[in-house]
Amino acid sequence: MGTDLGPAALVAGAVDAVRSGVSVLLVGDESVLRPLVPAGVALPVLHAAETIGMAEAPAVAVRRKPDSSVVRAVEAVAEGRAGSVVSCGNTGAAMAAALFRLGRLEGVERPALTTVAPRADGGQLVLLDLGANADCRPGHLAQFAVMGDVFARVALGLERPRVGLLSNGEEDGKGNELGRAAWPLLAALDLDF
């Protein structure tokens, strides 16, 4: 419900996914979503009466709007009715809802947004964190490295992914204070760093 283009574009994508064999559960205002689903397409809708806007403070909005589409979507994952959540709305609210409803893995202080991007050599690059954490500590970067390594092993099938720390130089003394402080933590891990 919280996309810039309105729900029509997302419903169209969901319809395409269903037609290609992907199971999809739409979450949002059923009176808005249901008319957008073409006849003959089996696309269930989980009603959620509230929406979290892009300008709302994520944690506050998640607490104040328990019947929002993003909170209900995350609850569907927690209850086993869905396997994942895709949101084009307030990213911070999606992260907050996931933290509040699903929790964190033991040893992970902060979650990280991740993407897989193509590399010039034909390989793939797992990049994290993509902005969910504006103020990280060195330990967070070490945790992100471990999470990225595991993701690349499981999702991409890489046996021993190479892990790097984005900086303005490749020598261990280069970069900003955060990068210099994180460097020895990453170097101490059992990673191809």
Side-chain angles (χ1 to χ4, degrees), residues 38-55:
V41 176
L43 190 49
V45 176
L46 174 62
H47 180 69
E50 299 174 303
T51 301
I52 295 176
M54 296 300 281

PDB file of all heavy atoms in Angstrom, residues 38-55:
ATOM      1  N   PRO A  38      -7.235  -9.248 -11.706  1.00  0.00           N
ATOM      2  CA  PRO A  38      -8.074  -9.701 -12.827  1.00  0.00           C
ATOM      3  C   PRO A  38      -8.886 -10.949 -12.466  1.00  0.00           C
ATOM      4  O   PRO A  38      -8.448 -11.774 -11.662  1.00  0.00           O
ATOM      5  CB  PRO A  38      -7.063 -10.030 -13.926  1.00  0.00           C
ATOM      6  CG  PRO A  38      -5.788  -9.397 -13.518  1.00  0.00           C
ATOM      7  CD  PRO A  38      -5.809  -9.275 -12.033  1.00  0.00           C
ATOM      8  N   ALA A  39     -10.024 -11.078 -13.079  1.00  0.00           N
ATOM      9  CA  ALA A  39     -10.861 -12.256 -12.879  1.00  0.00           C
ATOM     10  C   ALA A  39     -10.080 -13.499 -13.277  1.00  0.00           C
ATOM     11  O   ALA A  39      -9.312 -13.496 -14.231  1.00  0.00           O
ATOM     12  CB  ALA A  39     -12.132 -12.134 -13.717  1.00  0.00           C
ATOM     13  N   GLY A  40     -10.259 -14.547 -12.509  1.00  0.00           N
ATOM     14  CA  GLY A  40      -9.605 -15.816 -12.810  1.00  0.00           C
ATOM     15  C   GLY A  40      -8.211 -15.966 -12.237  1.00  0.00           C
ATOM     16  O   GLY A  40      -7.589 -17.008 -12.403  1.00  0.00           O
ATOM     17  N   VAL A  41      -7.681 -14.937 -11.590  1.00  0.00           N
ATOM     18  CA  VAL A  41      -6.353 -15.031 -10.978  1.00  0.00           C
ATOM     19  C   VAL A  41      -6.539 -15.274  -9.481  1.00  0.00           C
ATOM     20  O   VAL A  41      -7.159 -14.469  -8.783  1.00  0.00           O
ATOM     21  CB  VAL A  41      -5.523 -13.745 -11.206  1.00  0.00           C
ATOM     22  CG1 VAL A  41      -4.190 -13.829 -10.476  1.00  0.00           C
ATOM     23  CG2 VAL A  41      -5.306 -13.509 -12.687  1.00  0.00           C
ATOM     24  N   ALA A  42      -6.018 -16.401  -9.005  1.00  0.00           N
ATOM     25  CA  ALA A  42      -6.136 -16.755  -7.583  1.00  0.00           C
ATOM     26  C   ALA A  42      -5.069 -16.009  -6.798  1.00  0.00           C
ATOM     27  O   ALA A  42      -3.929 -16.455  -6.691  1.00  0.00           O
ATOM     28  CB  ALA A  42      -5.992 -18.260  -7.403  1.00  0.00           C
ATOM     29  N   LEU A  43      -5.452 -14.868  -6.288  1.00  0.00           N
ATOM     30  CA  LEU A  43      -4.514 -14.016  -5.554  1.00  0.00           C
ATOM     31  C   LEU A  43      -5.180 -13.611  -4.244  1.00  0.00           C
ATOM     32  O   LEU A  43      -5.983 -12.672  -4.213  1.00  0.00           O
ATOM     33  CB  LEU A  43      -4.146 -12.795  -6.397  1.00  0.00           C
ATOM     34  CG  LEU A  43      -3.017 -11.897  -5.928  1.00  0.00           C
ATOM     35  CD1 LEU A  43      -1.768 -12.674  -5.559  1.00  0.00           C
ATOM     36  CD2 LEU A  43      -2.672 -10.897  -7.012  1.00  0.00           C
ATOM     37  N   PRO A  44      -4.862 -14.314  -3.160  1.00  0.00           N
ATOM     38  CA  PRO A  44      -5.498 -13.990  -1.878  1.00  0.00           C
ATOM     39  C   PRO A  44      -5.053 -12.627  -1.350  1.00  0.00           C
ATOM     40  O   PRO A  44      -3.944 -12.163  -1.622  1.00  0.00           O
ATOM     41  CB  PRO A  44      -5.044 -15.116  -0.955  1.00  0.00           C
ATOM     42  CG  PRO A  44      -3.799 -15.649  -1.573  1.00  0.00           C
ATOM     43  CD  PRO A  44      -3.914 -15.412  -3.054  1.00  0.00           C
ATOM     44  N   VAL A  45      -5.955 -12.012  -0.579  1.00  0.00           N
ATOM     45  CA  VAL A  45      -5.671 -10.710   0.024  1.00  0.00           C
ATOM     46  C   VAL A  45      -5.886 -10.822   1.530  1.00  0.00           C
ATOM     47  O   VAL A  45      -6.936 -11.268   1.985  1.00  0.00           O
ATOM     48  CB  VAL A  45      -6.590  -9.605  -0.553  1.00  0.00           C
ATOM     49  CG1 VAL A  45      -6.347  -8.275   0.161  1.00  0.00           C
ATOM     50  CG2 VAL A  45      -6.379  -9.458  -2.052  1.00  0.00           C
ATOM     51  N   LEU A  46      -4.889 -10.423   2.287  1.00  0.00           N
ATOM     52  CA  LEU A  46      -4.994 -10.320   3.737  1.00  0.00           C
ATOM     53  C   LEU A  46      -5.289  -8.855   4.042  1.00  0.00           C
ATOM     54  O   LEU A  46      -4.459  -7.986   3.761  1.00  0.00           O
ATOM     55  CB  LEU A  46      -3.690 -10.764   4.398  1.00  0.00           C
ATOM     56  CG  LEU A  46      -3.572 -10.577   5.910  1.00  0.00           C
ATOM     57  CD1 LEU A  46      -4.637 -11.393   6.645  1.00  0.00           C
ATOM     58  CD2 LEU A  46      -2.178 -10.969   6.377  1.00  0.00           C
ATOM     59  N   HIS A  47      -6.452  -8.579   4.585  1.00  0.00           N
ATOM     60  CA  HIS A  47      -6.857  -7.192   4.807  1.00  0.00           C
ATOM     61  C   HIS A  47      -6.044  -6.546   5.922  1.00  0.00           C
ATOM     62  O   HIS A  47      -5.825  -7.121   6.987  1.00  0.00           O
ATOM     63  CB  HIS A  47      -8.345  -7.115   5.152  1.00  0.00           C
ATOM     64  CG  HIS A  47      -8.806  -5.709   5.386  1.00  0.00           C
ATOM     65  ND1 HIS A  47      -8.890  -4.781   4.366  1.00  0.00           N
ATOM     66  CD2 HIS A  47      -9.177  -5.058   6.525  1.00  0.00           C
ATOM     67  CE1 HIS A  47      -9.304  -3.622   4.859  1.00  0.00           C
ATOM     68  NE2 HIS A  47      -9.488  -3.773   6.167  1.00  0.00           N
ATOM     69  N   ALA A  48      -5.616  -5.329   5.657  1.00  0.00           N
ATOM     70  CA  ALA A  48      -4.953  -4.470   6.642  1.00  0.00           C
ATOM     71  C   ALA A  48      -5.494  -3.066   6.418  1.00  0.00           C
ATOM     72  O   ALA A  48      -5.385  -2.526   5.317  1.00  0.00           O
ATOM     73  CB  ALA A  48      -3.436  -4.498   6.465  1.00  0.00           C
ATOM     74  N   ALA A  49      -6.084  -2.496   7.429  1.00  0.00           N
ATOM     75  CA  ALA A  49      -6.796  -1.226   7.281  1.00  0.00           C
ATOM     76  C   ALA A  49      -5.876  -0.004   7.302  1.00  0.00           C
ATOM     77  O   ALA A  49      -6.271   1.064   6.847  1.00  0.00           O
ATOM     78  CB  ALA A  49      -7.849  -1.093   8.381  1.00  0.00           C
ATOM     79  N   GLU A  50      -4.668  -0.157   7.823  1.00  0.00           N
ATOM     80  CA  GLU A  50      -3.788   1.007   7.986  1.00  0.00           C
ATOM     81  C   GLU A  50      -2.592   0.936   7.043  1.00  0.00           C
ATOM     82  O   GLU A  50      -2.190  -0.133   6.600  1.00  0.00           O
ATOM     83  CB  GLU A  50      -3.287   1.083   9.430  1.00  0.00           C
ATOM     84  CG  GLU A  50      -4.407   1.251  10.447  1.00  0.00           C
ATOM     85  CD  GLU A  50      -3.910   1.182  11.880  1.00  0.00           C
ATOM     86  OE1 GLU A  50      -3.303   0.168  12.252  1.00  0.00           O
ATOM     87  OE2 GLU A  50      -4.137   2.164  12.610  1.00  0.00           O
ATOM     88  N   THR A  51      -2.025   2.113   6.778  1.00  0.00           N
ATOM     89  CA  THR A  51      -0.829   2.235   5.950  1.00  0.00           C
ATOM     90  C   THR A  51       0.164   3.139   6.664  1.00  0.00           C
ATOM     91  O   THR A  51      -0.223   4.135   7.271  1.00  0.00           O
ATOM     92  CB  THR A  51      -1.178   2.855   4.579  1.00  0.00           C
ATOM     93  OG1 THR A  51      -2.130   2.015   3.930  1.00  0.00           O
ATOM     94  CG2 THR A  51       0.040   2.985   3.697  1.00  0.00           C
ATOM     95  N   ILE A  52       1.432   2.788   6.581  1.00  0.00           N
ATOM     96  CA  ILE A  52       2.487   3.626   7.148  1.00  0.00           C
ATOM     97  C   ILE A  52       3.079   4.448   6.016  1.00  0.00           C
ATOM     98  O   ILE A  52       3.557   3.893   5.020  1.00  0.00           O
ATOM     99  CB  ILE A  52       3.565   2.773   7.840  1.00  0.00           C
ATOM    100  CG1 ILE A  52       2.949   2.051   9.053  1.00  0.00           C
ATOM    101  CG2 ILE A  52       4.750   3.650   8.262  1.00  0.00           C
ATOM    102  CD1 ILE A  52       3.895   1.113   9.764  1.00  0.00           C
ATOM    103  N   GLY A  53       3.031   5.763   6.164  1.00  0.00           N
ATOM    104  CA  GLY A  53       3.538   6.661   5.139  1.00  0.00           C
ATOM    105  C   GLY A  53       5.053   6.736   5.131  1.00  0.00           C
ATOM    106  O   GLY A  53       5.722   6.385   6.107  1.00  0.00           O
ATOM    107  N   MET A  54       5.590   7.223   4.035  1.00  0.00           N
ATOM    108  CA  MET A  54       7.042   7.312   3.866  1.00  0.00           C
ATOM    109  C   MET A  54       7.700   8.268   4.867  1.00  0.00           C
ATOM    110  O   MET A  54       8.844   8.067   5.241  1.00  0.00           O
ATOM    111  CB  MET A  54       7.383   7.735   2.440  1.00  0.00           C
ATOM    112  CG  MET A  54       6.951   6.727   1.386  1.00  0.00           C
ATOM    113  SD  MET A  54       7.713   5.109   1.600  1.00  0.00           S
ATOM    114  CE  MET A  54       9.322   5.433   0.908  1.00  0.00           C
ATOM    115  N   ALA A  55       6.986   9.290   5.293  1.00  0.00           N
ATOM    116  CA  ALA A  55       7.576  10.287   6.180  1.00  0.00           C
ATOM    117  C   ALA A  55       7.396   9.951   7.661  1.00  0.00           C
ATOM    118  O   ALA A  55       7.910  10.660   8.518  1.00  0.00           O
ATOM    119  CB  ALA A  55       6.972  11.659   5.890  1.00  0.00           C
TER     120      ALA A  55
END
